[in-house]
Amino acid sequence: MHVDLGSSLDATPGVSRESLERLDGQVATAHERIETGRDNHEHGYEALNLPSTVDLDAIRTAVAPFDDAAAVLTVGIGGSALGAATFADALAGPNDPDAYFLDNVDPEHVSRLLDALPLDRTVVNVVSRSGTTAETLANFLVVRDAMADADVDWTDRTFVTTGESGNLRSLAEKHDLPSLSVPDGVPGRFSALSTVGLAVAAIQGHDLEAIRAGAADAADGLSGSLFETPAYAYGATTYALAGRGAVTNAVMPYAERLETFAEWFAQLWAESLGKDGLGQTPARALGATDQHSQLQLYRAGPRDKLVTLVRPRDYADRTIPETDLDGLSYLGGSSLGDLLDAEFEATEASLVESGVPAVRVEIDAVDERSLGSLLYEMEAACVLYGELAAVSTFTQPAVEWGKNAARGLLGGGDFEEADAVDERTSLVVE
């Protein structure tokens, strides 16, 4: 990952080189804490050890029975799906099994997807650390029922990724299903580089060693200075800008294949850092599409935003044909890549001209090694931000509150959070 902070230095809000130099001492202290957490395999910090701890052979063994798959359906939610979806959407080729994700319980969407899938050639990956996630298990029960209706033996087409105990583990043992263990000490949103995120990539035939190598390169590059570590440069700068009022971080990839990466980033950033009235709200945009919509707000709206521009340095290009149409001849003979690069540069310049802070993040290419590095470094950036802000990066109490409320409403236990639903004030206009 290559990070250019230049477009954030003289913005409003912005940071200066001098303020970053002062902050660098805090970065060094935070880095020591992170390294201690990694060395001691502490909860959360263990995620940054995944390049050396993930068992790629176990992943290959679990998915080996499904080498005939035409499609892979992951049933999970949040971190149980977004990492795998990021790799699938970024890397999938025309001959790879199609990847689908049931990460919502919208009944119409679930029904449409199951009606469209070739269930006899679909492998189902059910992902839940606890084995009790209501949305995941509900969707799995529906998938299993659809397979039965299609005269497909679900036990021949299913593997699970779960903890050492719980409903899914018991199910796997009862039916002798292939299974993977989620790593200890790794919150779901930090699990993309583990069994949770890599099983789908394995089924699609992607290079797991290259993904791990990219992450390992990033891990080896962590140092105690933001001026030497791209991950820390990004984490420290976003933290500093948030403290100066840039409380929204609009992540804008200039590659269609990285659009899901922005979704993965949004969960990582929001769930990890939104604590105690602090944090930075992630927004998702796509270049050049959203230059024609959201950029208006970024330039001319409230001065509370940072824009993170993401792009690969190398990509397959396509020539624009020559034309004699009035006013369009300048396009002929150039390429779509030239146009996209011009749009990127113009967007960054327009933000600078209007005083809006921007950070440029570039990767070498949208390939396995670069993605492994990108996801690892964004996780490290998030952990650093959490250390600097003194928030509990690896917990999610607000999320747990909502889970308890929903479970109580469905009769899954006696949860006081469910009582708040009946106490809600309403003002109905019909």
Side-chain angles (χ1 to χ4, degrees):
M1 186 170 83
H2 315 275
V3 175
D4 185 344
L5 306 176
S7 296
S8 66
L9 295 181
D10 297 310
T12 307
V15 294
S16 65
R17 170 83 187 209
E18 292 73 24
S19 65
L20 290 176
E21 289 174 350
R22 291 193 297 271
L23 184 59
D24 205 33
Q26 297 177 52
V27 171
T29 301
H31 174 67
E32 290 180 4
R33 174 67 187 97
I34 292 169
E35 290 302 290
T36 297
R38 292 180 64 194
D39 291 342
N40 294 333
H41 303 282
E42 295 179 37
H43 179 77
Y45 300 97
E46 182 68 3
L48 299 182
N49 289 329
L50 280 172
S52 62
T53 59
V54 63
D55 187 345
L56 300 185
D57 288 335
I59 296 173
R60 292 191 190 91
T61 298
V63 305
F66 311 111
D67 58 0
D68 64 337
V72 52
L73 175 62
T74 297
V75 183
I77 195 167
S80 294
L82 281 171
T86 297
F87 286 120
D89 290 346
L91 298 174
N95 299 317
D96 295 339
D98 295 325
Y100 301 92
F101 298 87
L102 274 184
D103 58 354
N104 200 345
V105 288
D106 180 339
E108 291 187 346
H109 169 71
V110 172
S111 296
R112 284 196 302 268
L113 178 57
L114 292 177
D115 288 344
L117 283 175
L119 294 176
D120 60 328
R121 293 180 294 126
T122 297
V123 54
V124 178
N125 177 22
V126 192
V127 187
S128 169
R129 175 189 295 275
S130 66
T132 61
T133 307
E135 299 91 343
T136 298
L137 293 185
N139 274 335
F140 174 56
L141 292 174
V142 171
V143 170
R144 194 169 69 172
D145 189 57
M147 285 186 151
D149 289 344
D151 200 25
V152 175
D153 186 346
W154 68 272
T155 64
D156 289 339
R157 309 300 305 172
T158 301
F159 73 99
V160 303
T161 305
T162 190
E164 294 304 318
S165 62
N167 291 334
L168 282 182
R169 180 58 61 188
S170 298
L171 186 76
E173 292 171 352
K174 178 179 178 180
H175 296 282
D176 196 25
L177 304 178
S179 65
L180 289 166
S181 295
V182 298
D184 291 335
V186 178
R189 59 190 175 276
F190 286 89
S191 66
L193 295 165
S194 76
T195 51
V196 175
L198 296 180
V200 173
I203 291 172
Q204 291 189 307
H206 302 308
D207 189 342
L208 302 189
E209 280 85 1
I211 294 173
R212 180 168 63 182
D217 288 344
D220 291 342
L222 295 181
S223 77
S225 173
L226 71 90
F227 296 104
E228 298 174 358
T229 308
Y232 289 171
Y234 186 76
T237 301
T238 51
Y239 162 75
L241 287 169
R244 291 162 170 76
V247 293
T248 298
N249 186 348
V251 177
M252 195 171 189
Y254 275 72
E256 199 90 18
R257 290 194 290 157
L258 293 177
E259 186 172 15
T260 306
F261 159 75
E263 295 185 34
W264 171 85
F265 176 91
Q267 184 198 8
L268 177 75
W269 220 244
E271 194 170 359
S272 300
L273 304 175
K275 317 278 169 64
D276 304 325
L278 302 173
Q280 197 176 46
T281 302
R284 305 194 297 268
L286 179 66
T289 302
D290 288 312
Q291 291 171 210
H292 296 269
S293 55
Q294 297 181 36
L295 186 60
Q296 174 65 38
L297 174 67
Y298 301 160
R299 285 201 68 198
R303 292 308 178 94
D304 61 354
K305 296 171 187 65
L306 154 70
V307 180
T308 299
L309 301 164
V310 185
R311 71 172 175 182
R313 289 180 169 180
D314 186 42
Y315 48 82
D317 206 349
R318 185 157 188 152
T319 301
I320 301 172
E322 299 285 353
T323 180
D324 58 1
L325 292 174
D326 290 344
L328 295 179
S329 60
Y330 72 96
L331 292 174
S334 62
S335 70
L336 292 178
D338 294 335
L339 179 57
L340 190 64
D341 286 346
E343 299 277 11
F344 180 98
E345 301 287 350
T347 297
E348 185 177 43
S350 75
L351 294 168
V352 170
E353 191 277 336
S354 60
V356 176
V359 174
R360 179 188 293 207
V361 174
E362 295 178 314
I363 59 176
D364 292 334
V366 183
D367 59 18
E368 288 94 338
R369 194 177 192 105
S370 293
L371 284 169
S373 175
L374 177 64
L375 268 60
Y376 184 93
E377 290 183 277
M378 283 303 181
E379 290 179 3
C382 181
V383 175
L384 177 80
Y385 186 129
E387 295 293 334
L388 295 174
V391 299
S392 180
T393 308
F394 306 117
T395 63
Q396 51 284 331
V399 173
E400 297 302 327
W401 194 100
K403 288 180 180 179
N404 290 340
R407 192 168 181 179
L409 289 173
L410 291 169
D414 185 15
F415 295 94
E416 63 180 18
E417 292 90 343
D419 297 336
V421 176
D422 294 329
E423 299 167 2
R424 182 185 70 89
T425 301
S426 63
L427 175 60
V428 179
V429 179
E430 296 179 342

